[in-house]
Amino acid sequence: MSINKNYIIASAMMASVALPLVNVSQVDAAADMRTVTASSLNFRSGPSTSYRIIGSLYKGQKVEYISTSGEWLKVKYNGTTGYVHGDYVTKSGSVSSQGTTKYVNATVGLNVRSGPGTSYSKLGKLSYKEKVTVLSTSGEWSKINYNGKTGYVHSSYLQSTVPGSQTSQQPDTNQGTTKYVNATVGLNVRSGPGTSYSKLGKLSYKEKVTVLSTSNGWSKINYNRKTGYVDSSYLQSTVPGSTSSNTGGTVSNKVSDVIAYAKAQLGKPYVWGAQGPNSFDCSGFTYYVFKNKAGITLPRNSSAQSTYGKYVKKSELRAGDLVFFDTNGANNGAVSHVGLYIGDGKMIHASYSQKKIVIDNFNASYYQKAYVNARRVL
């Protein structure tokens, strides 16, 4: 289950109890200290919003890390032990100058948002070719420094070289990985890593291509001696025809392996905050399966996983896609559950209600009403 971050921050602002500043010099030097990044953060007696609020922590205050429980951290502050949401603290000692330099490749400018998604408020705008410092990347979004604050931008509009420079225009035709097109109607080649970029041409079914690199669901390729980008989900290592079939299309060997590995976990218990190997919560299950069988490290909670990889329409679901739901009352689009679609209208997931890993009917009315979106990472 995932947590509504806006709720946490809003609740923290209403808390009437403020915790006093701790004298950091009195803390054991060997302690693992973390720094609060939220303007105001609830300090709770247990690892969920259902537990009572002990007090409020504020941006810049330091806490001593003890352990992790799902999305929550058990910490000690000024002699008191409690829990805070892990998204709002970071390891102490990090400085804003650290990170990777990137450049904006969006001619109309790039929106900077307060969180990793288009639903978050805009903090401002970066100019074309502007240099930014990327602190971390999760799914399709990059965390950056912006006017002394933390902001988020879509990663597809960032690149390592200044746009228009010679190095970014000329691909190296002697390096790369050979792949084959698995799209029967052909595969569009675009000028950048996204459907908003212009089309350079089209690759034919089974056509061989040289992949130079892959990022966030898009592959950079050689195309007519230029650099082009294609959707990675339509490329595979073997010539199409050597894959096993399934309803709704073909399933690559990697997808088949992931699904088989997921099915091997059937019956294992649901435990909130667990990520294997003997028990799981919903996002812990998908995290464990993809990491151990596909070598893909997904974000740890369902809400963050719902922004990772490539968006997929419900009508275009394929086996191996992740499907996301809002199971907390009325569906307002806030993701709280994730499953793995396995084809034939079925999904495998760690069910909170059934307390174990099960295969359920994805088309059941309950899941259709709670459905939010789907992502493709294979």
Side-chain angles (χ1 to χ4, degrees):
M1 298 291 180
S2 62
I3 307 298
N4 188 316
K5 301 175 185 176
N6 292 328
Y7 173 82
I8 295 173
I9 295 176
S11 299
M13 290 180 175
M14 293 186 289
S16 59
V17 181
L19 297 175
L21 287 171
V22 64
N23 186 346
V24 179
S25 64
Q26 296 176 356
V27 178
D28 183 353
D32 183 355
M33 302 303 294
R34 307 292 172 97
T35 302
V36 176
T37 58
S39 58
S40 182
L41 177 63
N42 282 339
F43 189 50
R44 294 182 178 272
S45 60
S48 81
T49 55
S50 62
Y51 287 88
R52 67 182 178 86
I53 298 173
I54 300 173
S56 294
L57 296 170
Y58 298 98
K59 189 171 184 178
Q61 290 184 328
K62 298 182 185 300
V63 295
E64 180 183 348
Y65 170 80
I66 298 174
S67 62
T68 299
S69 179
E71 298 176 339
W72 293 79
L73 302 183
K74 184 178 182 181
V75 300
K76 182 183 289 186
Y77 184 86
N78 205 26
T80 301
T81 298
Y83 292 81
V84 295
H85 197 279
D87 284 346
Y88 301 103
V89 294
T90 186
K91 285 190 175 182
S92 299
S94 61
V95 295
S96 60
S97 60
Q98 293 177 338
T100 304
T101 298
K102 296 283 187 177
Y103 298 87
V104 176
N105 187 15
T107 55
V108 295
L110 177 59
N111 288 327
V112 181
R113 297 186 179 272
S114 59
T118 55
S119 61
Y120 289 89
S121 60
K122 294 180 183 179
L123 299 179
K125 205 167 194 177
L126 297 172
S127 303
Y128 179 52
K129 297 187 180 182
E130 187 169 347
K131 183 169 69 173
V132 296
T133 298
V134 175
L135 304 176
S136 63
T137 300
S138 178
E140 298 177 336
W141 292 85
S142 291
K143 182 179 180 181
I144 68 167
N145 285 325
Y146 182 73
N147 292 339
K149 299 179 181 180
T150 296
Y152 294 82
V153 296
H154 201 282
S155 302
S156 63
Y157 297 103
L158 298 178
Q159 63 182 55
S160 300
T161 57
V162 179
S165 65
Q166 188 68 15
T167 55
S168 64
Q169 297 286 330
Q170 300 297 326
D172 185 347
T173 58
N174 297 318
Q175 298 179 351
T177 303
T178 298
K179 297 281 187 178
Y180 298 88
V181 176
N182 187 14
T184 55
V185 295
L187 179 59
N188 288 328
V189 181
R190 296 185 178 272
S191 59
T195 55
S196 61
Y197 288 89
S198 60
K199 294 179 183 179
L200 299 179
K202 204 167 196 177
L203 297 172
S204 303
Y205 179 54
K206 296 187 179 183
E207 187 170 347
K208 183 169 69 173
V209 295
T210 299
V211 175
L212 304 176
S213 62
T214 300
S215 178
N216 296 319
W218 289 84
S219 291
K220 182 180 179 181
I221 68 167
N222 286 325
Y223 182 73
N224 293 339
R225 301 190 63 80
K226 295 181 180 180
T227 295
Y229 294 82
V230 295
D231 188 326
S232 302
S233 63
Y234 294 102
L235 298 179
Q236 62 183 58
S237 301
T238 57
V239 179
S242 60
T243 55
S244 56
S245 62
N246 197 353
T247 300
T250 59
V251 181
S252 70
N253 293 331
K254 180 176 284 189
V255 171
S256 297
D257 289 344
V258 166
I259 292 174
Y261 192 70
K263 288 181 177 179
Q265 316 307 318
L266 282 169
K268 290 186 177 180
Y270 177 101
V271 175
W272 189 87
Q275 58 187 48
N278 299 316
S279 58
F280 308 86
D281 64 11
C282 66
S283 57
F285 174 63
T286 50
Y287 175 91
Y288 178 86
V289 169
F290 276 79
K291 182 176 182 180
N292 287 280
K293 204 61 185 178
I296 296 173
T297 303
L298 299 173
R300 179 55 185 86
N301 63 68
S302 58
S303 179
Q305 287 182 11
S306 70
T307 65
Y308 190 89
K310 173 183 176 291
Y311 170 80
V312 180
K313 293 180 181 179
K314 184 160 60 172
S315 60
E316 297 176 354
L317 277 176
R318 295 199 319 223
D321 290 343
L322 293 172
V323 285
F324 299 91
F325 309 88
D326 181 357
T327 55
N328 292 332
N331 188 348
N332 64 0
V335 171
S336 58
H337 188 65
V338 58
L340 173 63
Y341 187 71
I342 60 175
D344 294 324
K346 304 291 184 182
M347 70 173 182
I348 185 170
H349 64 130
S351 171
Y352 174 79
S353 61
Q354 299 178 66
K355 302 300 181 185
K356 61 182 178 180
I357 306 298
V358 297
I359 293 176
D360 270 334
N361 180 9
F362 170 75
N363 295 317
S365 60
Y366 171 78
Y367 291 112
Q368 290 302 296
K369 289 179 181 178
Y371 177 84
V372 176
N373 71 348
R375 310 293 293 190
R376 183 167 296 154
V377 298
L378 290 174

